[in-house]
Amino acid sequence: MSEQDVLAAVDRIVDDFAHHRRDAYFSGFADDATFVLHTHPVRLESRAEYEEAWDAWERDGFRVLGCRSTTRRVQFAGEDVAIFTHDVETELADDDGSTTVRERETIVMQRRDGAWTCVHEHLSPREES
């Protein structure tokens, strides 16, 4: 169990998201991962459901232009579960233009078959202080 291993797995997810590498991004999530996104009206019950939502957003011109992760922390809950929290600032574009959003995110990672994979993501808006 290594914090560096968890961070490496999370960094791949964040980097793939930041560069809008859709397939690589989704490969960081377990098939049975769940997602609570403040931008979506209901919990997404699987990676496939999230991919469907992403595809619909892309039809509206959705594009990730960049992403920055700060105030990062890893906590372990046993040997095979890690909770990663951070603040995230993302530049997004759609058919109406581009915007920067500031959010807080929790990513629950689980070690499966020797590799760390995301099993839950929770994204909340972050107020500026």
Side-chain angles (χ1 to χ4, degrees), residues 62-81:
F62 170 77
R63 193 93 187 133
V64 180
L65 304 176
C67 182
R68 188 170 67 98
S69 170
T70 59
T71 62
R72 299 152 55 91
R73 182 174 182 197
V74 174
Q75 298 170 268
F76 287 96
E79 292 184 17
D80 294 323
V81 175

Side-chain angles (χ1 to χ4, degrees), residues 4-126:
Q4 291 310 106
D5 293 339
V6 173
L7 287 172
V10 168
D11 285 343
R12 280 189 299 278
I13 292 170
V14 171
D15 190 62
D16 288 332
F17 178 78
H19 292 92
H20 201 92
R21 293 187 293 255
R22 181 200 184 282
D23 293 342
Y25 171 64
F26 282 108
S27 73
F29 299 102
D31 289 341
D32 61 345
T34 56
F35 305 86
V36 176
L37 311 174
H38 68 96
T39 57
H40 199 74
V42 298
R43 180 180 53 234
L44 298 166
E45 298 291 345
S46 67
R47 183 177 75 191
E49 283 188 20
Y50 185 13
E51 289 180 276
E52 288 174 21
W54 180 285
D55 292 344
W57 301 334
E58 282 185 333
R59 286 191 293 276
D60 292 332
F62 170 77
R63 193 93 187 133
V64 180
L65 304 176
C67 182
R68 188 170 67 98
S69 170
T70 59
T71 62
R72 299 152 55 91
R73 182 174 182 197
V74 174
Q75 298 170 268
F76 287 96
E79 292 184 17
D80 294 323
V81 175
I83 302 152
F84 173 78
T85 55
H86 66 148
D87 290 340
V88 63
E89 183 175 292
T90 307
E91 281 187 68
L92 300 170
D94 62 18
D95 288 343
D96 296 326
S98 63
T99 188
T100 300
V101 294
R102 290 164 185 83
E103 299 161 310
R104 289 189 181 134
E105 183 175 43
T106 300
I107 299 173
V108 179
M109 303 292 287
Q110 184 178 37
R111 189 169 34 198
R112 293 183 177 183
D113 299 322
W116 289 99
T117 188
C118 177
V119 296
H120 179 74
E121 176 184 350
H122 185 175
L123 193 61
S124 302
R126 178 171 45 107

